[in-house]
Amino acid sequence: MIARVLIVMSIVLLACRSNRAPQEAVTTTNGPLSMIVSEELFTTIDTVAKEFARIYPGIRPTVGAAPTREVIAHLLNDSVRTIVVDRPFNDEERRVVEGSGLVVVGTQLAWDALVIVVHAENRFASITPAAVGAIVSGSVSRWSQVPGSSRSDAIEFVSTGRNSGLHEQIMRRVSGGRPLKTFAAGSTQAELVQYVGRSPRAMALVSLAAVRERPATARILPVETVVDSVSGRRELVSPSQLSVYEGRYPFRTEIVAYNAERRIGPGAGFAAFALTTPGQKIVQNSGLVPAVIPNRVIQLTAE
């Protein structure tokens, strides 16, 4: 009797196993790809993810967006395993990663820059990094204190909120860690550029991508930069894809993908794909600077 019961149970188990769908093989080019990215990067990264899925149909991407600090918190809380952010981890976040047991791999996907935007009526040729730092930290509050400015009224420095990558980058790269003294906070960098275009007293620091469609009333300031540390020779450097890629523009920043997959999977595949020519062309077309400049081979035929 017991033998019969065991035989019946074995048959039932075998039947269940045969009816169960085979487990999907998750690889770098197959499986679900769930990412959260910094809000300002959503369009670019979503486009790269869709191109990745077009070339590798087994990839099923889902891309969400949030302020940068929240994006990183999602990764550290293990609620998502792949993120793309507009700044590297800060010291506090690195310590959390080290103490969490997570194995996090960072891949730089692109360069960006902090572009200084003022109103077209505020006419001066250039600005120094020291002057920008003094403005954003509030130690200089009037345009008459800025060498070369044609205005004398109060400065309206506008930026995005404290949880944004832009806010952290300005503190890290421009203010020397001093808190930012903002006149007003905008929800997006495009909103900041539009505000500067309306207010002759305003100034903002934004991404290269944010100034591509700026109004005619907003202009970009070159930065007076030391290009030869031995002679002290200075040069006015405007932010461009070339000057940022070459490292001549002083306020250069990084776009980074962080991946904490327990096994190598679609997140690692996405980071690798983003560095290929198709991925980097999308980055370049967005106004950002490719980490790897796409190249085209031209064959010359001798007559």
Side-chain angles (χ1 to χ4, degrees):
M1 184 70 176
I2 294 175
R4 287 183 182 179
V5 172
L6 289 175
I7 291 170
V8 171
M9 289 177 64
S10 298
I11 293 171
V12 170
L13 287 172
L14 287 171
C16 290
R17 287 177 182 174
S18 63
N19 292 331
R20 186 183 302 167
Q23 188 173 5
E24 179 182 32
V26 176
T27 68
T28 55
T29 56
N30 189 80
L33 171 62
S34 298
M35 294 190 293
I36 303 180
V37 306
S38 297
E39 290 170 319
E40 300 288 345
L41 298 175
F42 175 79
T43 299
T44 301
I45 300 304
D46 187 55
T47 303
V48 176
K50 286 175 178 174
E51 181 66 6
F52 184 34
R54 186 188 71 80
I55 295 174
Y56 299 99
I59 292 293
R60 301 186 302 279
T62 303
V63 183
T68 298
R69 194 177 291 269
E70 293 180 20
V71 173
I72 294 173
H74 279 293
L75 182 74
L76 299 182
N77 293 334
D78 203 22
S79 58
V80 69
R81 293 176 185 170
T82 304
I83 64 172
V84 182
V85 284
D86 52 4
R87 64 168 177 82
F89 288 155
N90 60 31
D91 292 340
E92 178 186 0
E93 290 157 352
R94 288 193 190 94
R95 287 193 294 269
V96 172
V97 169
E98 291 169 1
S100 67
L102 288 172
V103 178
V104 179
V105 178
T107 305
Q108 183 186 340
L109 304 185
W111 293 104
D112 198 356
L114 300 175
V115 178
I116 302 155
V117 186
V118 296
H119 194 277
E121 290 183 8
N122 194 355
R123 298 193 173 277
F124 53 116
S126 64
I127 195 165
T128 64
V132 180
I135 291 170
V136 301
S137 63
S139 57
V140 164
S141 59
R142 305 194 71 83
W143 282 114
S144 57
Q145 299 172 274
V146 181
S149 174
S150 61
R151 304 191 65 84
S152 59
D153 41 13
I155 298 171
E156 297 177 348
F157 168 60
V158 293
S159 188
T160 47
R162 294 178 59 86
N163 287 336
S164 68
L166 178 67
H167 188 280
E168 177 101 11
Q169 288 281 27
I170 295 173
M171 283 190 63
R172 185 184 302 183
R173 301 298 307 279
V174 183
S175 76
R178 292 172 291 179
L180 305 186
K181 184 71 173 179
T182 55
F183 172 79
S187 57
T188 67
Q189 295 183 33
E191 185 178 310
L192 302 180
V193 175
Q194 292 298 321
Y195 181 84
V196 172
R198 295 193 301 270
S199 174
R201 297 182 295 180
M203 184 187 88
L205 277 71
V206 296
S207 163
L208 272 170
V211 295
R212 297 184 73 196
E213 299 179 2
R214 65 186 182 279
T217 49
R219 71 186 187 97
I220 297 170
L221 277 183
V223 179
E224 186 178 333
T225 306
V226 176
V227 293
D228 188 336
S229 58
V230 176
S231 66
R233 182 170 65 88
R234 293 177 174 269
E235 182 180 284
L236 301 186
V237 181
S238 295
S240 67
Q241 289 184 321
L242 181 60
S243 66
V244 171
Y245 182 77
E246 293 177 340
R248 293 185 293 111
Y249 186 73
F251 300 132
R252 187 168 72 161
T253 63
E254 300 169 50
I255 308 298
V256 186
Y258 287 108
N259 184 42
E261 290 175 323
R262 292 183 175 87
R263 294 182 178 180
I264 295 177
F270 171 82
F273 175 80
L275 293 177
T276 64
T277 296
Q280 293 289 280
K281 288 288 286 185
I282 294 170
V283 167
Q284 188 172 33
N285 292 340
S286 75
L288 300 173
V289 182
V292 180
I293 294 294
N295 58 74
R296 184 177 62 178
V297 176
I298 300 175
Q299 183 174 351
L300 300 179
T301 304
E303 294 293 337

